[in-house]
Amino acid sequence: MTEREIIESSRNPKLTEKIRESPKYGFLFILVSTPAVHFFVTPLPLLSWAVVSMIGWYFLHGLIFGHPRMLEKTSGAFLMLALFCPPAVMWVAYFGYSDADSLITKADNEYVLAIDGEERQVVLARHFEKYFLVWDKDKSRVEFISTASVSAFHPVSKEKNNNEAGEEMPKGVKK
């Protein structure tokens, strides 16, 4: 049955119509309240923004393609692509950003690379056959470094950095 047939066949059509329309108002509340909470209360994590932008896309899609003339002039395949592709791209972009962020903030993937006699401290993202993919914290950018230009590399020693700062080692721990 269509939405209209379901509503008209119920015992209380007005109540049924309100109940069937109610999820839209909940999503609209989430769509409006998320930016308000972010700016006036506390910053929200990226996942909440990704979900809200997907919800927002569905509302925008409904506004654009909800008119009967738009529906009759648009193919079903294009409607489905326009409905599902942008949220899928948003979801993939979120996971890509999240993985890159966790890779950069991990403590065990910082290395010192000796390049042309100069040492650089970088975050090693990936090692390919002929290149290192690194994140340079000082320059805040991703770089490809040729393995031929790297004469040596070793992980950054966290204990050494703490001792150089003048901190004492805990009892029972040897240098």
Side-chain angles (χ1 to χ4, degrees):
M1 291 198 295
T2 66
E3 191 70 23
R4 184 64 25 215
E5 290 171 342
I6 292 171
I7 292 169
E8 290 172 0
S9 66
S10 70
R11 286 185 234 152
N12 190 346
K14 288 184 181 182
L15 179 64
T16 304
E17 185 174 14
K18 286 181 183 179
I19 290 172
R20 296 196 58 95
E21 291 283 322
S22 64
K24 178 172 57 175
Y25 299 113
F27 285 124
L28 195 57
F29 175 75
I30 291 169
L31 190 64
V32 171
S33 67
T34 299
V37 167
H38 180 79
F39 292 116
F40 297 119
V41 180
T42 183
L44 294 173
L46 186 63
L47 177 61
S48 64
W49 283 102
V51 170
V52 164
S53 41
M54 285 185 260
I55 291 170
W57 172 253
Y58 288 120
F59 272 98
L60 185 62
H61 184 273
L63 286 173
I64 294 170
F65 296 107
H67 195 274
R69 278 192 266 164
M70 279 297 282
L71 285 173
E72 61 186 47
K73 291 184 179 187
T74 309
S75 72
F78 182 77
L79 280 173
M80 288 298 119
L81 279 174
L83 183 64
F84 294 115
C85 282
V89 168
M90 290 178 211
W91 196 245
V92 169
Y94 163 73
F95 277 113
Y97 179 85
S98 179
D99 285 350
D101 187 50
S102 68
L103 183 71
I104 290 169
T105 57
K106 268 203 254 177
D108 63 342
N109 62 344
E110 290 187 37
Y111 285 81
V112 175
L113 301 179
I115 304 168
D116 302 325
E118 178 185 326
E119 287 192 346
R120 289 177 53 192
Q121 186 172 337
V122 296
V123 175
L124 183 62
R126 301 279 186 269
H127 176 247
F128 301 106
E129 187 176 334
K130 296 183 180 184
Y131 292 95
F132 291 105
L133 177 62
V134 299
W135 170 257
D136 192 336
K137 286 184 176 182
D138 298 331
K139 298 176 185 175
S140 293
R141 69 178 187 190
V142 174
E143 296 180 23
F144 280 101
I145 299 175
S146 170
T147 54
S149 67
V150 177
S151 57
F153 71 97
H154 58 86
V156 172
S157 174
K158 297 295 180 186
E159 288 96 26
K160 183 178 175 186
N161 288 342
N162 288 340
N163 287 337
E164 288 174 356
E167 296 177 14
E168 289 186 29
M169 295 294 285
K171 289 183 180 181
V173 177
K174 296 181 181 180
K175 290 184 183 179

